[in-house]
Amino acid sequence: MEENAVIYEKREKVGVITFNRPHRLNAINEALLKGFIHQLLTAQKDPGVQSVIVTGAGRAFCAGEDLKETSSGKSFKQWTIEVDALQDVQRVILGLGKPLIAAINGYAVGGGLEFALSCDIRIAAEGATFGFPETSVGLTVTTAGTKLITQIVGLGKAKELILTGRFVDAKEALDIGLVNQVVTAEALLDQAMDMCRSINKRSSLAVKLSRIAIDQGMHASFEQILELEASHLLTCINSNEQQALVEKKLKTMQAGKVE
């Protein structure tokens, strides 16, 4: 098992998770999956962290399945363990309780693209590349990627990308809504940090509940989401944080400032 396949550091109130297998373009193996889950949980449990960034060391965000390891032979049991771990990543992200920003450098393909899709916001470097090569190597999308890509870019474009395995560059990714922003490689992490700072100025409780409502609203009925939103609003109103933030906002407005 590789040590430090995924590393974690805290910057200000931001947890930064970095895939750290640059010699393999941060391709997915058992060590990376276990490390990613561990570091997500570390960020989740850290009371000093309000938002989280995930990025990759070297020339890639994450190049998907490590085909070198796969070609050396995996037992059915090993594949079963890997599939369970891949899907556990998605479950942990759903329960993270904090915004997750993908800072995407280089390749984000296969499982790596699915990791990016699982994030709340995606910021890409100009040289980033995206795609689903699974069908070219006899595999399928695994980590709820079929659902996420459809929600993000629409049914027709999702089918095109998955069935053809065609890669898209950062510009096209922005055009189809796959990413939120494209910046220079040098500005990538700074832009992700700026996004986190903007989010961190807001109520942590309101941000957490809003994230839950958006995610659950994709699957809930209209009436169910109305009930959930009402419950969330009343939870916020009952919090001491809400009153303090209202008073702060009033003072800001009285000073002629808008945030």
Side-chain angles (χ1 to χ4, degrees):
M1 183 72 68
E2 296 174 58
E3 293 185 6
N4 301 318
V6 183
I7 56 178
Y8 175 82
E9 62 177 314
K10 186 160 68 172
R11 303 186 185 184
E12 301 171 29
K13 296 180 181 180
V14 181
V16 181
I17 296 172
T18 304
F19 299 131
N20 190 41
R21 302 186 71 227
H23 58 293
R24 297 295 303 148
L25 298 179
N26 302 317
I28 296 168
N29 67 355
E30 182 181 357
L32 186 133
L33 285 171
K34 288 186 175 180
F36 191 23
I37 291 172
H38 173 75
Q39 303 299 13
L40 284 167
L41 293 172
T42 298
Q44 180 188 47
K45 295 172 184 176
D46 190 336
V49 165
Q50 289 182 244
S51 53
V52 184
I53 294 170
V54 59
T55 192
R59 298 185 295 116
F61 176 76
C62 175
E65 177 72 18
D66 192 326
L67 295 179
K68 184 176 181 180
E69 290 195 8
T70 301
S71 65
S72 66
K74 280 186 184 179
S75 68
F76 188 78
K77 182 178 181 180
Q78 286 175 309
W79 275 112
T80 301
I81 292 170
E82 180 171 319
V83 169
D84 287 345
L86 281 165
Q87 299 197 339
D88 282 343
V89 166
Q90 182 61 248
R91 295 183 181 101
V92 171
I93 289 173
L94 280 172
L96 185 62
K98 301 173 183 182
L100 182 60
I101 314 299
I104 304 164
N105 50 307
Y107 289 101
V109 299
L113 177 51
E114 293 182 67
F115 290 158
L117 293 172
S118 300
C119 296
D120 300 296
I121 297 169
R122 285 160 295 283
I123 302 173
E126 290 171 337
T129 301
F130 305 85
F132 287 113
E134 280 87 345
T135 54
S136 67
V137 291
L139 299 174
T140 57
V141 176
T142 308
T143 317
T146 54
K147 186 175 188 66
L148 292 168
I149 190 68
T150 302
Q151 290 173 344
I152 292 167
V153 304
L155 181 61
K157 185 58 69 174
K159 286 186 176 181
E160 175 192 336
L161 294 176
I162 291 175
L163 300 183
T164 69
R166 182 173 71 84
F167 284 10
V168 301
D169 61 17
K171 182 182 182 302
E172 185 174 354
L174 182 63
D175 289 342
I176 65 176
L178 184 58
V179 300
N180 298 77
Q181 298 177 17
V182 176
V183 299
T184 64
E186 294 77 15
L188 180 62
L189 199 54
D190 287 341
Q191 187 64 24
M193 284 294 298
D194 283 345
M195 180 69 73
C196 288
R197 291 185 189 104
S198 179
I199 293 170
N200 292 350
K201 290 178 182 177
R202 275 58 189 172
S203 158
S204 56
L205 175 61
V207 166
K208 177 180 179 178
L209 295 178
S210 295
R211 183 178 185 266
I212 290 171
I214 292 169
D215 286 339
Q216 293 193 8
M218 300 298 296
H219 322 294
S221 69
F222 200 80
E223 192 59 41
Q224 286 171 329
I225 199 61
L226 285 175
E227 291 180 8
L228 181 63
E229 288 177 347
S231 172
H232 285 176
L233 179 61
L234 294 175
T235 298
C236 288
I237 289 170
N238 276 333
S239 73
N240 294 328
E241 183 184 46
Q242 187 268 342
Q243 185 61 38
L245 286 170
V246 168
E247 291 174 1
K248 180 181 178 181
K249 176 66 74 175
L250 285 172
K251 288 179 181 178
T252 300
M253 292 172 66
Q254 288 167 358
K257 298 178 181 179
V258 178
E259 282 190 342

